[in-house]
Amino acid sequence: MSLVRSIGMAVGVGGPILTLAMIPTLIGVAAGAPDPDNPRRGARGEACREVSQAAFYRGWRDPPRRFVFQGAAFARRRGDADCTVLHDGPFGPPYPACRLTAPAAIAVTAHGRSVYFDIGPGLTAEVEARPSGVRCVVTGKHQLEAG
């Protein structure tokens, strides 16, 4: 039997089996995916308090720490940021999501709009810059991890 024929048979038999094996994974991803119309899905916590641009800049001597991730600009006063890319469903558009540890205040510019949030000292927040708008929730008190 030729090599080409062997490969063709393997693809012919393995392809449908692989496709069937992927169905539960696709269903699970779709069922647990964030819903853009339901802000309660995704990060859980109390909504961040939105403030004006002037309030974000007021009272700080040092400039905010800025970075750009996946087309969205983020600024924070303190702490660290850990970002990833999420999707609204298995085929939905990608959007950046960041967890910020003890940021005190956050600014996000995405899709032509800037939003400013006051988080408060010692709290952790998660921000999603979805195509439908920016969403921010306070997820709890910042805890240092023992290393």
Side-chain angles (χ1 to χ4, degrees):
M1 194 185 309
S2 74
L3 179 62
V4 173
R5 190 170 185 184
S6 297
I7 293 173
M9 287 178 62
V11 171
V13 171
I17 292 171
L18 183 60
T19 302
L20 288 174
M22 288 176 32
I23 290 174
T25 302
L26 291 174
I27 290 171
V29 168
D35 181 355
D37 298 324
N38 184 354
R40 289 177 289 169
R41 289 188 69 187
R44 286 184 167 58
E46 186 178 324
C48 300
R49 186 170 66 95
E50 196 168 331
V51 296
S52 67
Q53 180 181 10
F56 176 78
Y57 285 101
R58 186 179 307 127
W60 293 92
R61 195 173 25 168
D62 297 330
R65 300 172 183 178
R66 301 177 187 276
F67 65 97
V68 176
F69 181 74
Q70 292 292 315
F74 296 86
R76 66 190 188 283
R77 286 298 177 183
R78 300 277 184 252
D80 294 315
D82 183 27
C83 299
T84 189
V85 176
L86 299 178
H87 297 266
D88 283 326
F91 305 110
Y95 60 89
C98 297
R99 179 182 180 93
L100 298 111
T101 56
I106 301 171
V108 182
T109 301
H111 312 292
R113 181 172 181 250
S114 295
V115 197
Y116 304 89
F117 300 103
D118 179 36
I119 307 305
L123 298 174
T124 296
E126 292 189 22
V127 180
E128 299 171 343
R130 295 178 177 208
S132 58
V134 175
R135 181 174 171 265
C136 176
V137 295
V138 176
T139 56
K141 290 185 178 183
H142 175 61
Q143 303 270 334
L144 292 177
E145 294 180 12

